[in-house]
Structures are given as structure tokens and as C-alpha cells.
Amino acid sequence: MQGANKVAIWVITGLMAVLTMFFNLFIFLMSLKSYKQNKHWTPCETIITALSLANGAHQLLCYLWMTMIEIDKDCRLEELFYSLMILTVFSLKFTIMWTTSFLTFYYSTKLVIEPIHCYTKIQEAILKHVTTVVLVIPMCGLSTCLPMLTVLVPENNTSENMDCGSIMPDDTPGMIYNTVYLVLSNILPGILMVKCCISISVHLGIHLQHMKASTNGSHAPKLGSEMRVIRMTLALVVVFLCFMVVDLYAYYQVTVKKENAILLSFLFTSIYTTFSALVLIYGKKTFWKVLLHSYNVGLDEFPCLSCLKVPETKRKPNSSHTVKH
């Protein structure tokens, strides 16, 4: 990858890093405020808080590594330093993917009316120990990435394509490890998310049909806050699938074509963490209201930007068109 392209990716990733840190810090602070008020975290708040912390830590390390290779172009620091940093980044990425899929799994168990009985006991066991699962996921990510220390070695760098310990090897064991890591960190959580998405969509359709039949079609069925959570969950899956496609492309460039596309992988992950955090904020109505209010208050300082304000409340329908029961 040429130097100009690397600098451009570094700058764009920096812009995405600012948004990622802002959104995830906002989620963490709002969750902390909720905890102080209620003296406990709900399971979904526990998962979302863990996800926001993983997103923030991943973004910081990504940008630190990208900054270091721009400053230390000759890799004068110890190669082990860069390798450990890369290992931690990929471990956090594993954590983000599985925590996101765990969140969709949690919501699918709450939204689906008639769970599949063969999975019911497994679901109940997992949901009773949400905090334990959230702590086990990073440990699994770290143990999965430890063999990476034998993959990211100084000898893999080339003079024309050097990124301080980030080039994948040509040997068969290294290729096998890359494939296994890709399956564990991307494909398996993706399959779980798609399964949850299909389950929610099917049961949502059935539920809407029942509601429409019970009202004799006199008005459109309304799900209230549940519909917001459903939209959030489905949006998370769509964002994840889009990210997985481009991330698989980056892995293909690295492992098959031997091109150093790891910077692209970091950029795609930064974009993903930004949009997924925004989707999570939308899913929590209280978070979304506070964010919109803060955004509008910020625009009040610049009257010329008042046209960019977003309405904080929905317009009430005209009473003449409403059906009275």
C-alpha cells in the first residue's frame, strides 16, 4: 500500500475514531447514570456497556498502532511491541463481534413469543449468567488470538510493504490459523446474528397478523417500544453483515493476494463500531432523546445551522383522523 493511501486511511480512521469514542462514551455514561439511579444494571445494559467499552478500547489501540507505524516507519521499536498491540486489537475485535451477537441473541429471546423448545433451557441458562458470559467472551478472544504471536513475526515484513509485524506468513500453519480465526471471529457470530434476525422477523410477522386480526383491521397494529427494539436489532444485523463482507475482502487481500490490507481492515472496523454504537443509542429511547436534545442545544450556539436541527418529539396525528374506541 502506497504511503499516500496509508496517510489518507489514517486521517479517515481518525475522524471515525472521534465519532466512535463520542458515541461509546455517551453510551457508557448514560448506562452509568442509569445504574446510579436504579442501583443495578439490566442484562441488556450490562451487554451494551461491555460492548461500548470494547469498542472504545479497540478504537484507541487501532489508532495508536496506525499512528506508531506512521511515526516509526523503520520499526525501531521492538517487534514484540507491535505484535502484542496487533494481538490485542484482534482480540478486542473478537470480543466486539461476539458481544454484538450475544446482544441480538438476548433480544431475540425477549422478542420472540414462542421460543423453540429445544433451545429454551440453553437460553435460560445463558441469560441467567449474562455478566459471566460478558466476561468469558474477552477471555476466549485472547486465548484465540494468542497463536497470532507465532504468525506476526518480523521476518514476514518486506522492504516495500512494511507495517511492523502485521504481514501474514506464507506457510501452511499460518494460513490455517488465519482461516480458523476468521471463522471463529466473523462467520460464527454472523450465523448466530442471522439466525436471531430470521427468528425475530418470522415471529414479528406472525404477531402482527394476530394483532391485525384481533382489531378486525380497524387500524394498523402498534407495538410501541418493542418495535423500536426490533428495528434496532435488525439494523445491527444489517450493519454487521455489511461489515463482514468488506472485512472478508480485506482478509482475502492479506492472505491470498499477500497485499497489506490490514489498514483497510482497521478502517472498516472503525466505521462499523461508529454505526453500531449509533444504532445502539437509537434502540434505547432515553439515550436517543438525550442525544437529540444535546445535538439541538449544540446547534443553538450557531444560529446559521438552525436548519440542521432534528425534531425531538413526533407530531401528533390529527384528531379528526383518529379512530375512537
Side-chain angles (χ1 to χ4, degrees):
M1 185 176 294
Q2 296 179 354
N5 292 334
K6 291 170 66 175
V7 172
I9 292 175
W10 177 57
V11 171
I12 297 172
T13 305
L15 296 175
M16 301 307 301
V18 173
L19 292 175
T20 297
M21 294 305 299
F22 172 78
F23 289 141
N24 285 285
L25 183 60
F26 177 82
I27 291 173
F28 177 73
L29 292 177
M30 290 297 294
S31 298
L32 195 61
K33 180 181 177 181
S34 176
Y35 175 77
K36 288 182 178 179
Q37 291 176 346
N38 303 321
K39 303 302 180 183
H40 72 279
W41 265 319
T42 62
C44 68
E45 288 176 339
T46 300
I47 302 171
I48 289 174
T49 302
L51 183 57
S52 66
L53 291 174
N55 282 337
H58 178 273
Q59 186 62 73
L60 284 175
L61 282 176
C62 267
Y63 200 63
L64 176 61
W65 182 83
M66 295 174 73
T67 303
M68 290 299 297
I69 65 170
E70 287 299 320
I71 297 174
D72 185 23
K73 292 184 179 294
D74 296 327
C75 299
R76 294 178 181 177
L77 292 176
E78 290 291 333
E79 288 290 339
L80 181 60
F81 169 78
Y82 290 107
S83 296
L84 286 174
M85 195 177 294
I86 290 288
L87 181 147
T88 308
V89 167
F90 279 96
S91 175
L92 286 169
K93 179 183 173 184
F94 181 99
T95 302
I96 291 169
M97 299 299 103
W98 276 103
T99 305
T100 305
S101 65
F102 182 44
L103 181 64
T104 58
F105 169 79
Y106 170 80
Y107 279 125
S108 70
T109 60
K110 296 299 180 182
L111 295 171
V112 173
I113 302 169
E114 298 177 359
I116 301 173
H117 294 292
C118 62
Y119 294 132
T120 302
K121 292 184 179 180
I122 299 175
Q123 291 173 350
E124 290 176 352
I126 293 174
L127 295 178
K128 282 182 180 178
H129 304 89
V130 169
T131 304
T132 303
V133 175
V134 166
L135 293 175
V136 167
I137 289 174
M139 296 174 61
C140 292
L142 182 60
S143 61
T144 302
C145 293
L146 279 177
M148 196 174 290
L149 286 176
T150 63
V151 176
L152 305 175
V153 294
E155 289 76 10
N156 294 327
N157 292 317
T158 60
S159 58
E160 68 275 3
N161 198 12
M162 182 182 291
D163 263 350
C164 304
S166 68
I167 307 301
M168 301 301 179
D170 294 328
D171 60 330
T172 301
M175 293 289 290
I176 293 174
Y177 169 76
N178 289 336
T179 303
V180 171
Y181 172 81
L182 187 64
V183 171
L184 292 177
S185 66
N186 281 37
I187 297 176
L188 287 183
I191 292 174
L192 176 60
M193 293 183 75
V194 170
K195 182 265 177 190
C196 294
C197 178
I198 294 173
S199 180
I200 291 172
S201 300
V202 170
H203 287 276
L204 173 63
I206 296 172
H207 186 49
L208 289 176
Q209 286 183 349
H210 290 167
M211 290 180 67
K212 189 173 181 180
S214 65
T215 58
N216 297 320
S218 57
H219 61 76
K222 297 178 181 179
L223 292 176
S225 60
E226 285 187 9
M227 197 63 207
R228 189 184 196 90
V229 176
I230 290 170
R231 285 196 295 263
M232 180 204 72
T233 307
L234 297 181
L236 272 179
V237 176
V238 171
V239 172
F240 179 87
L241 291 178
C242 292
F243 163 72
M244 189 171 68
V245 170
V246 294
D247 198 47
L248 290 175
Y249 168 77
Y251 263 87
Y252 172 78
Q253 295 294 321
V254 171
T255 57
V256 178
K257 291 195 172 183
K258 307 304 176 185
E259 294 181 7
N260 192 4
I262 194 169
L263 290 178
L264 284 177
S265 177
F266 285 178
L267 173 61
F268 296 148
T269 308
S270 298
I271 296 172
Y272 167 74
T273 53
T274 300
F275 280 94
S276 62
L278 186 59
V279 171
L280 288 174
I281 293 173
Y282 170 80
K284 297 282 287 185
K285 191 173 182 179
T286 53
F287 289 11
W288 186 248
K289 283 186 173 181
V290 173
L291 182 63
L292 286 184
H293 179 70
S294 302
Y295 170 75
N296 288 332
V297 169
L299 289 181
D300 286 338
E301 300 295 326
F302 307 95
C304 59
L305 299 178
S306 59
C307 60
L308 298 178
K309 282 191 174 183
V310 179
E312 296 181 34
T313 57
K314 292 183 178 180
R315 292 182 179 179
K316 293 183 179 180
N318 194 332
S319 58
S320 63
H321 295 286
T322 57
V323 178
K324 295 182 180 180
H325 297 278

